[in-house]
Amino acid sequence: ERELEVRLFERTPRSVSLTPAGRAFFKSCPAILDNYRSGVSAAHLAQKGFTGSLTLGIMRDNFESTLPEIFQAFHREYPQISLYLRGYSHSKLLSAFERGEVDAILNYQNISTVEDDEEMILLRRNRQCVIMSLDHPFAGRGSLRVDELRNEPFVVMARTVSIPGHDFIWRTAMEAGFAPHVVEEAAQVPVLLTLVACGIGISTLGDDMEYLARGQVAFVPLLGVPLSNQVFMWHRSSTNPALPHLVETIRSLQKNGGK
């Protein structure tokens, strides 16, 4: 009564009854209690990560073939957690991850370069390929060595868009004893493939990108270079309580060999 500043009860020496204000307030009590219990339940679920949202960063130019199964399995198991997908260029994907704009990412990463605060799960390995126009003299080869490419013109991804893709060509060429002759840069993978298909130069991509070329570009395995690792990455210091459930979903799918 002091809190509401109304008189709720009629008090006599022999009885206590509700005032009109008391009866009006009493009618609202069941709804008030239901809302309170719902709020407490929601708070407990949120604290345990069973409600809320997650943002997963992905490469904007890729079709991530591993993602539909992950997404659907997670939604079945945790229907009250919203999983949002955000597409970025490769460089911006890494920046968004470092700045905490996303909770986790699907990335192509050398496992040996993982940072102290980073965790990752290996999803798939892809072979690195030399890509070239269909009428290129090397197009029919079963494989190629890096040193065989020293006299070739290169088309590369712009470093502002893909630091890993750009640096891979320069690093592998320098390790083979030559500097690549770069004739063109591309800001997107489809543009890179178009330039290569036109015969402007050669480049490198993982074999998982072959579907984008629609048979118009030759993919020849590149010898002597590491496989490309597609990984799910997150920060160990993340405070989003829903993130461990996504991690567990991915690990469970791997353990069970998929669906």
Side-chain angles (χ1 to χ4, degrees):
E1 287 177 317
R2 283 195 297 270
E3 181 180 341
L4 298 179
E5 295 183 346
V6 296
R7 191 159 57 89
L8 300 177
F9 301 99
E10 292 284 3
R11 297 176 177 86
T12 71
R14 295 184 179 181
S15 67
V16 175
S17 61
L18 291 172
T19 65
R23 288 192 294 272
F25 182 68
F26 179 73
K27 290 179 181 178
S28 302
C29 285
I32 292 171
L33 290 172
D34 285 344
N35 288 335
Y36 171 77
R37 294 187 186 104
S38 295
V40 171
S41 177
H44 282 286
L45 288 172
Q47 181 171 293
K48 295 177 181 178
F50 291 110
T51 62
S53 65
L54 288 165
T55 302
L56 178 63
I58 61 176
M59 298 271 285
R60 69 182 184 191
D61 295 329
N62 290 21
F63 169 60
E64 302 291 6
S65 59
T66 57
L67 186 52
E69 184 179 21
I70 293 171
F71 189 95
Q72 292 165 12
F74 184 69
H75 182 68
R76 285 194 303 270
E77 192 69 24
Y78 303 100
Q80 296 186 69
I81 303 175
S82 298
L83 179 57
Y84 299 107
L85 307 179
R86 296 287 181 267
Y88 299 86
S89 69
H90 202 172
S91 293
K92 289 186 177 180
L93 176 70
L94 298 176
S95 295
F97 181 58
E98 290 306 316
R99 291 195 301 266
E101 293 178 11
V102 294
D103 295 295
I105 60 173
L106 293 187
N107 186 33
Y108 293 84
Q109 175 89 13
N110 184 338
I111 293 178
S112 64
T113 63
V114 61
E115 300 293 334
D116 289 342
D117 186 41
E118 294 174 354
E119 295 275 4
M120 65 176 61
I121 298 173
L122 177 63
L123 301 178
R124 187 179 64 209
R125 292 184 183 273
N126 303 308
R127 183 183 295 276
Q128 289 287 348
C129 295
V130 184
I131 61 172
M132 64 204 73
S133 61
L134 296 178
D135 60 356
H136 192 284
F138 289 157
R141 293 279 297 273
S143 61
L144 284 165
R145 301 187 311 276
V146 179
D147 64 284
E148 296 181 86
L149 310 176
R150 65 176 61 248
N151 297 319
E152 295 292 326
F154 277 83
V155 178
V156 301
M157 292 296 294
R159 200 170 192 273
T160 54
V161 175
S162 177
I163 294 174
H166 180 279
D167 289 0
F168 173 78
I169 289 178
W170 278 92
R171 183 178 64 254
T172 53
M174 296 300 288
E175 288 174 352
F178 69 96
H181 174 46
V182 176
V183 296
E184 191 71 76
E185 291 190 346
Q188 294 178 326
V189 172
V191 175
L192 178 79
L193 287 165
T194 300
L195 295 172
V196 169
C198 290
I200 293 172
I202 68 169
S203 193
T204 62
L205 280 176
D207 57 3
D208 61 318
M209 297 286 196
E210 191 168 1
Y211 75 96
L212 286 172
R214 300 185 180 182
Q216 300 299 305
V217 172
F219 278 66
V220 179
L222 186 59
L223 300 177
V225 297
L227 295 176
S228 173
N229 303 305
Q230 187 200 39
V231 295
F232 173 80
M233 295 179 62
W234 71 98
H235 288 296
R236 190 181 298 114
S237 58
S238 172
T239 58
N240 190 329
L243 182 57
H245 299 311
L246 180 57
V247 172
E248 182 55 35
T249 296
I250 294 173
R251 285 180 170 153
S252 179
L253 285 172
Q254 288 194 317
K255 181 180 179 180
N256 296 326
K259 293 180 181 178

